[in-house]
Amino acid sequence: MGLGPDLEIETLTTALGGLDLFPNHMFLALNVSPDILLDQRFSPLLEGVDARRLVLELTEHTAVDDYRPLMTALRPLRDRGARLAIDDVGAGYANMQHILSLRPDILKIDASLTNNIHVCPSRAALLAGLVQFARTFDTRIVAEGIEVAPQLDRLRELAVDYGQGYLLGRPLLLKRAR
């Protein structure tokens, strides 16, 4: 129906409105599509926001044909302290070209790669290589989809920086104090 960009802008506006609910030392991660990063409505949303408290998670749902406009759009935000994450590495369009072209601060490893990593040597080897690559560029690794303790143990052995998943905590609803 063509409402995707409008819905994404509305979602980002709502999420940014909740930033003040977080303590100052915490950040807000925003899933953003490449198209929205280039949308004229996006940059004004971040005016007056402490960009150091933002992580822009580039979603995997859209291919990027030309990285130059994307890098140009991201440069002022990153200069203000916003961090860039490539979301769902290993799925969709979150490919190595995203990583090589955009030099993200964070790689979020898709659950399809972390699932059963404690019993799958090939997944562990692939992730070990990504961790080594990330260290070269001072990039952090976040493992998604952590659901069982042996999986978490294996990810720790592989020196993954951070994790998210039901084992670590369920999503919570933010509520404003009355």
Side-chain angles (χ1 to χ4, degrees):
M1 296 184 72
L3 295 176
D6 294 334
L7 291 172
E8 192 170 347
I9 290 291
E10 185 62 31
T11 300
L12 292 168
T13 301
T14 301
L16 287 164
L19 183 59
D20 63 337
L21 298 175
F22 290 92
N24 287 334
H25 70 278
M26 296 180 79
F27 64 86
L28 176 65
L30 299 169
N31 285 86
V32 293
S33 67
D35 293 338
I36 284 300
L37 286 172
L38 299 175
D39 190 297
Q40 65 183 358
R41 297 171 292 175
F42 180 70
S43 190
L45 286 179
L46 303 182
E47 288 176 9
V49 174
D50 182 356
R52 296 170 300 179
R53 297 188 62 208
L54 299 178
V55 173
L56 304 174
E57 292 188 13
L58 189 65
T59 60
E60 77 287 359
H61 305 294
T62 307
V64 176
D65 296 321
D66 183 0
Y67 284 91
R68 289 174 296 189
L70 199 53
M71 292 185 301
T72 299
L74 285 167
R75 186 174 303 116
L77 299 171
R78 292 182 88 178
D79 287 347
R80 289 179 40 212
R83 289 169 284 172
L84 177 66
I86 303 298
D87 196 19
D88 297 327
V89 171
Y93 292 104
N95 60 31
M96 292 311 232
Q97 193 59 46
H98 273 26
I99 296 166
L100 294 172
S101 296
L102 298 174
R103 298 285 176 106
D105 304 289
I106 301 165
L107 297 178
K108 294 191 71 183
I109 307 302
D110 188 69
S112 66
L113 292 179
T114 63
N115 185 36
N116 291 321
I117 197 162
H118 55 292
V119 295
C120 183
S122 59
R123 289 173 195 257
L126 179 58
L127 187 52
L130 285 170
V131 168
Q132 182 60 39
F133 175 85
R135 294 294 175 267
T136 303
F137 297 101
D138 197 30
T139 300
R140 300 290 169 246
I141 298 279
V142 176
E144 298 178 331
I146 301 172
E147 296 186 3
V148 296
Q151 180 188 23
L152 178 60
D153 293 341
R154 185 67 178 121
L155 292 165
R156 284 180 171 151
E157 290 169 6
L158 292 169
V160 168
D161 299 296
Y162 304 103
Q164 68 181 62
Y166 288 153
L167 179 69
L168 303 174
R170 300 253 177 195
L172 299 172
L173 180 64
L174 286 177
K175 294 182 182 179
R176 294 196 180 275
R178 295 179 197 246

